[in-house]
Structures are given as C-alpha cells and as structure tokens.
Amino acid sequence: VDTDAFSATVVDLAQRGHLTIAETEDDHTFTATGQDRGDLLDFENKVLKRLFDDGPQTSQKALTAWAKSHRTNAANWLESFQKQVVQAYEAKGYQVKGQMSGWLLYLLLVGLLGLYAAVAIVNEAYAAGFAAIGTAIVLLSFMVLLRRRTQAGAQRHAEWEGLRRFLKDFSQLQDAPSGHMALYE
C-alpha cells in the first residue's frame, strides 16, 4: 500500500457521495456531504476524519500545509492508514493463508543453489557455478507466483482485469468497425 491509496480513497469516497471535490484555480476543495458513514471501513472513516477534522470543508493546500508542519504526526497517520488498508484487504480473504512451509522450502532450494554455486566456483567449475546462480536468480524472480488467490480473490482479480481491458479497448472504440463484438461486449 503506497501513498496513492490515500488519493484513491478520497476519490472513491467522493464517487460514493461522502464528499465533493471542487477544482479551483490552483487548488482542490473538499466538502463533507454529511452522508451516513455507517457502511464505511475503518480506513475510509480515518480519511474523512483527517480531511474534516477542522470543519466540513478543507483544501488540498491546507492538508499539505498540515502535513508539512506536523511531519511526525502525518507520517504516523499515514502508516496507521496503510495498516488499516492492509487489514481491510486481508479481511476480504483474497489470498490463501498458511503456506509458510512452501515458502521456506522454496527459499531453502534457492539457498542450496547458492551454496552449490559457491562451492562450484571455488573449485573452478565456473560454468556449473554461474548456471546455479542464474537458476537461483530466475527462481527468486518467480517467487511472487507462490502467492495464491482464494476463489473470491480470483473472482475480484478477474473483475479488475476486465475493467482494465475495457478501459484499454474503449479508447479504441471510434476506430472499431460497426458491430465489432470484442469491443461492444
């Protein structure tokens, strides 16, 4: 979770009617709508509280000025926000849990390849040593594939991929022939 999560949450809350965003000459003004917050997640309530702590309206410049003048508090707030986003994600159950033994076995294999490479290079078997190093690097780059999604996670991922493809294809809609099924679907 990076700092873009804050901006994304603000825009999402605006789309859901919890605040409005008005663009002025060189700033953005955020205004609370007073909509019921009972359905919001902890991190979403945290964003609204931060935005409207001093009243029902604030601006991007005021928020930035607060962060600059209270650097420690702002950093702590952002860290807490990021933790709450991670907790909300984990509560959705999108990732399979309890795979520690698989990860450890994988790391052990990479470690053994590294050890083999070191022994091979010390014994001047450079081809075998560098091949082992290359294999270890390839295995490390594929380590991210050990993460597995649950059925709900796979469904959600497919939905977001569909949106991504739609946005990409929609920009080509004016060039498509009439009735082009892949784009119109």
Side-chain angles (χ1 to χ4, degrees):
V1 177
D2 60 14
T3 55
D4 289 342
F6 175 78
S7 303
T9 303
V10 170
V11 171
D12 179 56
L13 289 169
Q15 287 184 318
R16 291 166 43 202
H18 291 279
L19 64 114
T20 60
I21 303 173
E23 186 175 354
T24 58
E25 289 180 24
D26 60 342
D27 200 5
H28 290 86
T29 303
F30 307 107
T31 306
T33 61
Q35 185 173 339
D36 180 43
R37 299 180 184 181
D39 63 332
L40 296 181
L41 299 170
D42 290 342
F43 72 90
E44 294 169 328
N45 275 313
K46 186 177 196 71
V47 167
L48 289 175
K49 185 171 180 350
R50 174 69 261 150
L51 284 175
F52 305 117
D53 201 26
D54 296 330
Q57 192 172 52
T58 190
S59 69
Q60 185 174 357
K61 284 186 177 182
L63 185 63
T64 304
W66 173 83
K68 286 181 180 179
S69 64
H70 301 91
R71 290 185 188 273
T72 303
N73 289 345
N76 290 339
W77 184 91
L78 184 61
E79 184 179 329
S80 171
F81 166 76
Q82 289 170 325
K83 285 180 182 177
Q84 286 182 337
V85 171
V86 169
Q87 288 171 348
Y89 172 79
E90 289 174 350
K92 297 281 187 184
Y94 291 151
Q95 296 291 136
V96 174
K97 300 287 184 194
Q99 299 186 79
M100 186 60 72
S101 60
W103 286 81
L104 291 175
L105 184 61
Y106 198 84
L107 288 174
L108 177 66
L109 177 63
V110 170
L112 288 173
L113 277 169
L115 181 63
Y116 174 80
V119 169
I121 291 172
V122 166
N123 289 319
E124 298 180 6
Y126 297 112
F130 290 124
I133 289 172
T135 303
I137 289 171
V138 168
L139 285 176
L140 281 175
S141 67
F142 286 117
M143 191 169 179
V144 71
L145 297 177
L146 289 176
R147 294 187 316 173
R148 290 190 8 226
R149 293 183 183 97
T150 61
Q151 181 63 32
Q155 175 66 33
R156 195 69 166 157
H157 178 73
E159 291 168 359
W160 283 111
E161 279 300 306
L163 176 63
R164 184 188 62 77
R165 283 190 309 275
F166 168 76
L167 292 173
K168 181 180 168 209
D169 293 343
F170 185 76
S171 65
Q172 300 171 3
L173 196 58
Q174 70 274 9
D175 299 330
S178 179
H180 191 270
M181 292 304 290
L183 290 178
Y184 286 99
E185 283 182 10

